[in-house]
Amino acid sequence: MGSEARFGERDGLPISAKGVCLDNAGRVLLCLNWRNEWEMSGGRPDPAESLETCLAREILEEAGLIVSVREMLSEYASEGQPSTWVRISTYGCALPASPRLMVSSEHQPVAFIDALDLQALPLPDGYRQAITAWRTR
């Protein structure tokens, strides 16, 4: 096998783009996944799709929000499930002035969560760090 990564992979790991979306009150957009864990909205790119384009599409699909993807915050490998690793790329995103959620069937629920409530939620540390980085910019 050559050293080139296959589509949707970096360093041999599948890649997923995740967005930090803060509303005017400083609350962060989070989705409850099938593992009953909170996560930032996002997903894996389609063929020839940039991570930024993927992220904007995924947030629109999952939450009904049109966002502007601004800057990469972090990139790291994460063990999402036992023995299953994925490379997570997090981005800061700008929301419309008055965001109105339209929840998809992919996640239930999708909500804006106050930053003070994040400590009590099952949320990966990498997501917490990305949220803090975007809140402080």
Side-chain angles (χ1 to χ4, degrees), residues 2 8 10-11 15-16 21 24 39 51 57-58 63-64 66 71 74 87 92 98 103 110 113 127-129 131:
R10 192 167 293 156
D11 300 330
I15 192 161
S16 182
C21 302
N24 290 336
E39 65 181 355
L51 292 178
R57 174 183 53 77
E58 288 284 347
I66 297 173
E71 66 181 86
S74 63
R87 179 157 300 284
S98 299
V103 180
V110 172
I113 308 291
Y127 292 170
R128 289 181 200 283
Q129 292 167 5
I131 292 166

PDB file of all heavy atoms in Angstrom, residues 2 8 10-11 15-16 21 24 39 51 57-58 63-64 66 71 74 87 92 98 103 110 113 127-129 131:
ATOM      1  N   GLY A   2       0.553   2.256  -0.807  1.00  0.00           N
ATOM      2  CA  GLY A   2       1.332   3.485  -0.890  1.00  0.00           C
ATOM      3  C   GLY A   2       1.141   4.354   0.344  1.00  0.00           C
ATOM      4  O   GLY A   2       0.351   4.058   1.229  1.00  0.00           O
ATOM      5  N   GLY A   8     -10.945  11.115   2.410  1.00  0.00           N
ATOM      6  CA  GLY A   8     -11.570  11.211   3.732  1.00  0.00           C
ATOM      7  C   GLY A   8     -10.689  10.726   4.857  1.00  0.00           C
ATOM      8  O   GLY A   8     -11.162  10.463   5.952  1.00  0.00           O
ATOM      9  N   ARG A  10      -6.701  11.122   6.885  1.00  0.00           N
ATOM     10  CA  ARG A  10      -5.448  11.841   7.098  1.00  0.00           C
ATOM     11  C   ARG A  10      -4.634  10.980   8.040  1.00  0.00           C
ATOM     12  O   ARG A  10      -5.155  10.533   9.055  1.00  0.00           O
ATOM     13  CB  ARG A  10      -5.713  13.219   7.690  1.00  0.00           C
ATOM     14  CG  ARG A  10      -4.475  14.081   7.647  1.00  0.00           C
ATOM     15  CD  ARG A  10      -4.761  15.535   7.930  1.00  0.00           C
ATOM     16  NE  ARG A  10      -5.561  16.113   6.848  1.00  0.00           N
ATOM     17  CZ  ARG A  10      -6.336  17.171   7.006  1.00  0.00           C
ATOM     18  NH1 ARG A  10      -6.425  17.763   8.156  1.00  0.00           N
ATOM     19  NH2 ARG A  10      -7.019  17.648   5.994  1.00  0.00           N
ATOM     20  N   ASP A  11      -3.403  10.719   7.710  1.00  0.00           N
ATOM     21  CA  ASP A  11      -2.540   9.838   8.501  1.00  0.00           C
ATOM     22  C   ASP A  11      -3.161   8.448   8.654  1.00  0.00           C
ATOM     23  O   ASP A  11      -2.992   7.799   9.675  1.00  0.00           O
ATOM     24  CB  ASP A  11      -2.266  10.430   9.884  1.00  0.00           C
ATOM     25  CG  ASP A  11      -1.579  11.775   9.830  1.00  0.00           C
ATOM     26  OD1 ASP A  11      -0.818  11.998   8.870  1.00  0.00           O
ATOM     27  OD2 ASP A  11      -1.802  12.598  10.729  1.00  0.00           O
ATOM     28  N   ILE A  15     -11.432  11.060   8.713  1.00  0.00           N
ATOM     29  CA  ILE A  15     -11.435  12.429   9.253  1.00  0.00           C
ATOM     30  C   ILE A  15     -12.860  12.947   9.369  1.00  0.00           C
ATOM     31  O   ILE A  15     -13.721  12.612   8.558  1.00  0.00           O
ATOM     32  CB  ILE A  15     -10.562  13.353   8.384  1.00  0.00           C
ATOM     33  CG1 ILE A  15     -10.321  14.670   9.092  1.00  0.00           C
ATOM     34  CG2 ILE A  15     -11.122  13.533   7.011  1.00  0.00           C
ATOM     35  CD1 ILE A  15      -9.144  15.450   8.554  1.00  0.00           C
ATOM     36  N   SER A  16     -13.101  13.730  10.405  1.00  0.00           N
ATOM     37  CA  SER A  16     -14.409  14.317  10.654  1.00  0.00           C
ATOM     38  C   SER A  16     -14.227  15.783  11.031  1.00  0.00           C
ATOM     39  O   SER A  16     -13.385  16.117  11.872  1.00  0.00           O
ATOM     40  CB  SER A  16     -15.108  13.566  11.792  1.00  0.00           C
ATOM     41  OG  SER A  16     -16.402  14.083  12.022  1.00  0.00           O
ATOM     42  N   CYS A  21     -20.142  26.414  17.230  1.00  0.00           N
ATOM     43  CA  CYS A  21     -21.113  27.436  16.858  1.00  0.00           C
ATOM     44  C   CYS A  21     -21.660  28.067  18.126  1.00  0.00           C
ATOM     45  O   CYS A  21     -22.337  27.395  18.908  1.00  0.00           O
ATOM     46  CB  CYS A  21     -22.263  26.816  16.069  1.00  0.00           C
ATOM     47  SG  CYS A  21     -21.772  25.967  14.566  1.00  0.00           S
ATOM     48  N   ASN A  24     -25.451  34.432  20.236  1.00  0.00           N
ATOM     49  CA  ASN A  24     -25.153  35.748  20.823  1.00  0.00           C
ATOM     50  C   ASN A  24     -25.045  35.707  22.339  1.00  0.00           C
ATOM     51  O   ASN A  24     -24.411  36.573  22.936  1.00  0.00           O
ATOM     52  CB  ASN A  24     -26.212  36.767  20.405  1.00  0.00           C
ATOM     53  CG  ASN A  24     -26.094  37.116  18.929  1.00  0.00           C
ATOM     54  OD1 ASN A  24     -25.035  36.984  18.334  1.00  0.00           O
ATOM     55  ND2 ASN A  24     -27.192  37.532  18.339  1.00  0.00           N
ATOM     56  N   GLU A  39     -22.037  16.065  21.259  1.00  0.00           N
ATOM     57  CA  GLU A  39     -20.965  16.355  20.326  1.00  0.00           C
ATOM     58  C   GLU A  39     -21.283  17.632  19.558  1.00  0.00           C
ATOM     59  O   GLU A  39     -22.431  18.071  19.517  1.00  0.00           O
ATOM     60  CB  GLU A  39     -20.738  15.200  19.353  1.00  0.00           C
ATOM     61  CG  GLU A  39     -21.902  14.929  18.426  1.00  0.00           C
ATOM     62  CD  GLU A  39     -21.646  13.761  17.492  1.00  0.00           C
ATOM     63  OE1 GLU A  39     -20.531  13.209  17.493  1.00  0.00           O
ATOM     64  OE2 GLU A  39     -22.560  13.409  16.744  1.00  0.00           O
ATOM     65  N   LEU A  51     -13.044  20.271   3.976  1.00  0.00           N
ATOM     66  CA  LEU A  51     -13.578  20.139   5.333  1.00  0.00           C
ATOM     67  C   LEU A  51     -14.499  21.300   5.675  1.00  0.00           C
ATOM     68  O   LEU A  51     -15.520  21.118   6.337  1.00  0.00           O
ATOM     69  CB  LEU A  51     -12.440  20.040   6.348  1.00  0.00           C
ATOM     70  CG  LEU A  51     -11.609  18.763   6.289  1.00  0.00           C
ATOM     71  CD1 LEU A  51     -10.487  18.809   7.321  1.00  0.00           C
ATOM     72  CD2 LEU A  51     -12.478  17.539   6.499  1.00  0.00           C
ATOM     73  N   ARG A  57     -22.219  22.151   5.257  1.00  0.00           N
ATOM     74  CA  ARG A  57     -23.300  21.260   4.813  1.00  0.00           C
ATOM     75  C   ARG A  57     -23.870  20.464   5.978  1.00  0.00           C
ATOM     76  O   ARG A  57     -25.089  20.350   6.151  1.00  0.00           O
ATOM     77  CB  ARG A  57     -22.781  20.313   3.723  1.00  0.00           C
ATOM     78  CG  ARG A  57     -23.799  19.252   3.295  1.00  0.00           C
ATOM     79  CD  ARG A  57     -23.214  18.288   2.268  1.00  0.00           C
ATOM     80  NE  ARG A  57     -21.966  17.655   2.656  1.00  0.00           N
ATOM     81  CZ  ARG A  57     -21.862  16.637   3.519  1.00  0.00           C
ATOM     82  NH1 ARG A  57     -22.929  16.151   4.128  1.00  0.00           N
ATOM     83  NH2 ARG A  57     -20.673  16.112   3.781  1.00  0.00           N
ATOM     84  N   GLU A  58     -23.005  19.890   6.799  1.00  0.00           N
ATOM     85  CA  GLU A  58     -23.449  19.061   7.924  1.00  0.00           C
ATOM     86  C   GLU A  58     -24.259  19.866   8.944  1.00  0.00           C
ATOM     87  O   GLU A  58     -25.271  19.391   9.459  1.00  0.00           O
ATOM     88  CB  GLU A  58     -22.252  18.397   8.607  1.00  0.00           C
ATOM     89  CG  GLU A  58     -21.611  17.286   7.816  1.00  0.00           C
ATOM     90  CD  GLU A  58     -22.409  15.986   7.845  1.00  0.00           C
ATOM     91  OE1 GLU A  58     -23.334  15.851   8.670  1.00  0.00           O
ATOM     92  OE2 GLU A  58     -22.095  15.103   7.029  1.00  0.00           O
ATOM     93  N   ALA A  63     -28.874  20.870  11.871  1.00  0.00           N
ATOM     94  CA  ALA A  63     -29.499  21.886  12.718  1.00  0.00           C
ATOM     95  C   ALA A  63     -30.279  22.948  11.944  1.00  0.00           C
ATOM     96  O   ALA A  63     -30.879  23.827  12.548  1.00  0.00           O
ATOM     97  CB  ALA A  63     -28.428  22.566  13.582  1.00  0.00           C
ATOM     98  N   GLY A  64     -30.241  22.885  10.605  1.00  0.00           N
ATOM     99  CA  GLY A  64     -30.962  23.863   9.808  1.00  0.00           C
ATOM    100  C   GLY A  64     -30.347  25.248   9.828  1.00  0.00           C
ATOM    101  O   GLY A  64     -31.023  26.223   9.531  1.00  0.00           O
ATOM    102  N   ILE A  66     -27.396  28.030   8.571  1.00  0.00           N
ATOM    103  CA  ILE A  66     -26.390  28.411   7.585  1.00  0.00           C
ATOM    104  C   ILE A  66     -25.284  29.124   8.343  1.00  0.00           C
ATOM    105  O   ILE A  66     -25.528  30.141   8.995  1.00  0.00           O
ATOM    106  CB  ILE A  66     -26.991  29.322   6.504  1.00  0.00           C
ATOM    107  CG1 ILE A  66     -28.069  28.542   5.730  1.00  0.00           C
ATOM    108  CG2 ILE A  66     -25.902  29.841   5.575  1.00  0.00           C
ATOM    109  CD1 ILE A  66     -28.851  29.388   4.758  1.00  0.00           C
ATOM    110  N   GLU A  71     -12.269  29.535  11.077  1.00  0.00           N
ATOM    111  CA  GLU A  71     -10.871  29.114  11.211  1.00  0.00           C
ATOM    112  C   GLU A  71     -10.760  27.780  11.929  1.00  0.00           C
ATOM    113  O   GLU A  71     -11.597  27.442  12.766  1.00  0.00           O
ATOM    114  CB  GLU A  71     -10.049  30.167  11.954  1.00  0.00           C
ATOM    115  CG  GLU A  71     -10.445  30.364  13.394  1.00  0.00           C
ATOM    116  CD  GLU A  71      -9.618  31.438  14.079  1.00  0.00           C
ATOM    117  OE1 GLU A  71      -9.989  32.617  13.980  1.00  0.00           O
ATOM    118  OE2 GLU A  71      -8.603  31.079  14.718  1.00  0.00           O
ATOM    119  N   SER A  74      -8.378  23.198  16.035  1.00  0.00           N
ATOM    120  CA  SER A  74      -7.526  22.089  16.461  1.00  0.00           C
ATOM    121  C   SER A  74      -7.718  20.902  15.539  1.00  0.00           C
ATOM    122  O   SER A  74      -8.709  20.816  14.812  1.00  0.00           O
ATOM    123  CB  SER A  74      -7.849  21.685  17.906  1.00  0.00           C
ATOM    124  OG  SER A  74      -9.185  21.218  18.005  1.00  0.00           O
ATOM    125  N   ARG A  87      -9.659  11.105  13.020  1.00  0.00           N
ATOM    126  CA  ARG A  87      -8.995  12.404  13.153  1.00  0.00           C
ATOM    127  C   ARG A  87     -10.088  13.461  13.158  1.00  0.00           C
ATOM    128  O   ARG A  87     -10.882  13.558  12.236  1.00  0.00           O
ATOM    129  CB  ARG A  87      -8.026  12.655  12.007  1.00  0.00           C
ATOM    130  CG  ARG A  87      -7.359  14.019  12.142  1.00  0.00           C
ATOM    131  CD  ARG A  87      -6.044  14.118  11.426  1.00  0.00           C
ATOM    132  NE  ARG A  87      -5.036  13.173  11.864  1.00  0.00           N
ATOM    133  CZ  ARG A  87      -4.325  13.262  12.998  1.00  0.00           C
ATOM    134  NH1 ARG A  87      -4.531  14.241  13.826  1.00  0.00           N
ATOM    135  NH2 ARG A  87      -3.409  12.368  13.286  1.00  0.00           N
ATOM    136  N   GLY A  92     -13.999  27.069  14.227  1.00  0.00           N
ATOM    137  CA  GLY A  92     -14.893  28.088  14.742  1.00  0.00           C
ATOM    138  C   GLY A  92     -15.817  28.542  13.631  1.00  0.00           C
ATOM    139  O   GLY A  92     -15.378  28.724  12.493  1.00  0.00           O
ATOM    140  N   SER A  98     -29.877  35.722  14.467  1.00  0.00           N
ATOM    141  CA  SER A  98     -30.949  35.076  15.243  1.00  0.00           C
ATOM    142  C   SER A  98     -31.128  33.642  14.761  1.00  0.00           C
ATOM    143  O   SER A  98     -32.041  33.342  13.995  1.00  0.00           O
ATOM    144  CB  SER A  98     -32.260  35.846  15.087  1.00  0.00           C
ATOM    145  OG  SER A  98     -32.122  37.155  15.556  1.00  0.00           O
ATOM    146  N   VAL A 103     -34.255  20.782  13.807  1.00  0.00           N
ATOM    147  CA  VAL A 103     -33.585  19.542  14.173  1.00  0.00           C
ATOM    148  C   VAL A 103     -33.867  18.439  13.153  1.00  0.00           C
ATOM    149  O   VAL A 103     -35.006  18.222  12.748  1.00  0.00           O
ATOM    150  CB  VAL A 103     -34.023  19.102  15.583  1.00  0.00           C
ATOM    151  CG1 VAL A 103     -33.341  17.821  15.988  1.00  0.00           C
ATOM    152  CG2 VAL A 103     -33.727  20.201  16.584  1.00  0.00           C
ATOM    153  N   VAL A 110     -30.951  18.546  19.517  1.00  0.00           N
ATOM    154  CA  VAL A 110     -29.932  19.508  19.121  1.00  0.00           C
ATOM    155  C   VAL A 110     -30.298  20.777  19.862  1.00  0.00           C
ATOM    156  O   VAL A 110     -31.446  21.193  19.844  1.00  0.00           O
ATOM    157  CB  VAL A 110     -29.937  19.757  17.595  1.00  0.00           C
ATOM    158  CG1 VAL A 110     -29.013  20.885  17.217  1.00  0.00           C
ATOM    159  CG2 VAL A 110     -29.577  18.484  16.849  1.00  0.00           C
ATOM    160  N   ILE A 113     -26.386  25.075  24.343  1.00  0.00           N
ATOM    161  CA  ILE A 113     -26.122  24.777  25.751  1.00  0.00           C
ATOM    162  C   ILE A 113     -25.236  25.862  26.337  1.00  0.00           C
ATOM    163  O   ILE A 113     -24.212  26.225  25.741  1.00  0.00           O
ATOM    164  CB  ILE A 113     -25.416  23.401  25.895  1.00  0.00           C
ATOM    165  CG1 ILE A 113     -26.176  22.295  25.158  1.00  0.00           C
ATOM    166  CG2 ILE A 113     -25.183  23.066  27.362  1.00  0.00           C
ATOM    167  CD1 ILE A 113     -27.492  21.904  25.748  1.00  0.00           C
ATOM    168  N   TYR A 127     -13.423  18.459  22.375  1.00  0.00           N
ATOM    169  CA  TYR A 127     -14.511  19.392  22.073  1.00  0.00           C
ATOM    170  C   TYR A 127     -14.512  20.532  23.081  1.00  0.00           C
ATOM    171  O   TYR A 127     -14.682  21.690  22.723  1.00  0.00           O
ATOM    172  CB  TYR A 127     -15.858  18.693  22.099  1.00  0.00           C
ATOM    173  CG  TYR A 127     -16.087  17.687  20.996  1.00  0.00           C
ATOM    174  CD1 TYR A 127     -17.182  16.851  21.031  1.00  0.00           C
ATOM    175  CD2 TYR A 127     -15.229  17.562  19.914  1.00  0.00           C
ATOM    176  CE1 TYR A 127     -17.428  15.928  20.030  1.00  0.00           C
ATOM    177  CE2 TYR A 127     -15.449  16.637  18.914  1.00  0.00           C
ATOM    178  CZ  TYR A 127     -16.556  15.823  18.975  1.00  0.00           C
ATOM    179  OH  TYR A 127     -16.793  14.916  17.982  1.00  0.00           O
ATOM    180  N   ARG A 128     -14.329  20.202  24.351  1.00  0.00           N
ATOM    181  CA  ARG A 128     -14.292  21.252  25.389  1.00  0.00           C
ATOM    182  C   ARG A 128     -13.174  22.257  25.087  1.00  0.00           C
ATOM    183  O   ARG A 128     -13.372  23.465  25.213  1.00  0.00           O
ATOM    184  CB  ARG A 128     -14.051  20.630  26.766  1.00  0.00           C
ATOM    185  CG  ARG A 128     -15.199  19.851  27.309  1.00  0.00           C
ATOM    186  CD  ARG A 128     -14.856  19.296  28.703  1.00  0.00           C
ATOM    187  NE  ARG A 128     -15.712  18.203  29.050  1.00  0.00           N
ATOM    188  CZ  ARG A 128     -16.966  18.326  29.462  1.00  0.00           C
ATOM    189  NH1 ARG A 128     -17.495  19.511  29.589  1.00  0.00           N
ATOM    190  NH2 ARG A 128     -17.682  17.258  29.751  1.00  0.00           N
ATOM    191  N   GLN A 129     -12.018  21.753  24.693  1.00  0.00           N
ATOM    192  CA  GLN A 129     -10.887  22.632  24.400  1.00  0.00           C
ATOM    193  C   GLN A 129     -11.174  23.521  23.192  1.00  0.00           C
ATOM    194  O   GLN A 129     -10.843  24.708  23.187  1.00  0.00           O
ATOM    195  CB  GLN A 129      -9.624  21.801  24.192  1.00  0.00           C
ATOM    196  CG  GLN A 129      -9.162  21.129  25.462  1.00  0.00           C
ATOM    197  CD  GLN A 129      -8.109  20.057  25.224  1.00  0.00           C
ATOM    198  OE1 GLN A 129      -7.634  19.868  24.111  1.00  0.00           O
ATOM    199  NE2 GLN A 129      -7.735  19.357  26.285  1.00  0.00           N
ATOM    200  N   ILE A 131     -14.155  24.491  22.148  1.00  0.00           N
ATOM    201  CA  ILE A 131     -15.172  25.473  22.561  1.00  0.00           C
ATOM    202  C   ILE A 131     -14.518  26.608  23.327  1.00  0.00           C
ATOM    203  O   ILE A 131     -14.773  27.788  23.064  1.00  0.00           O
ATOM    204  CB  ILE A 131     -16.273  24.783  23.401  1.00  0.00           C
ATOM    205  CG1 ILE A 131     -17.074  23.819  22.522  1.00  0.00           C
ATOM    206  CG2 ILE A 131     -17.177  25.821  24.070  1.00  0.00           C
ATOM    207  CD1 ILE A 131     -17.949  22.838  23.304  1.00  0.00           C
TER     208      ILE A 131
END
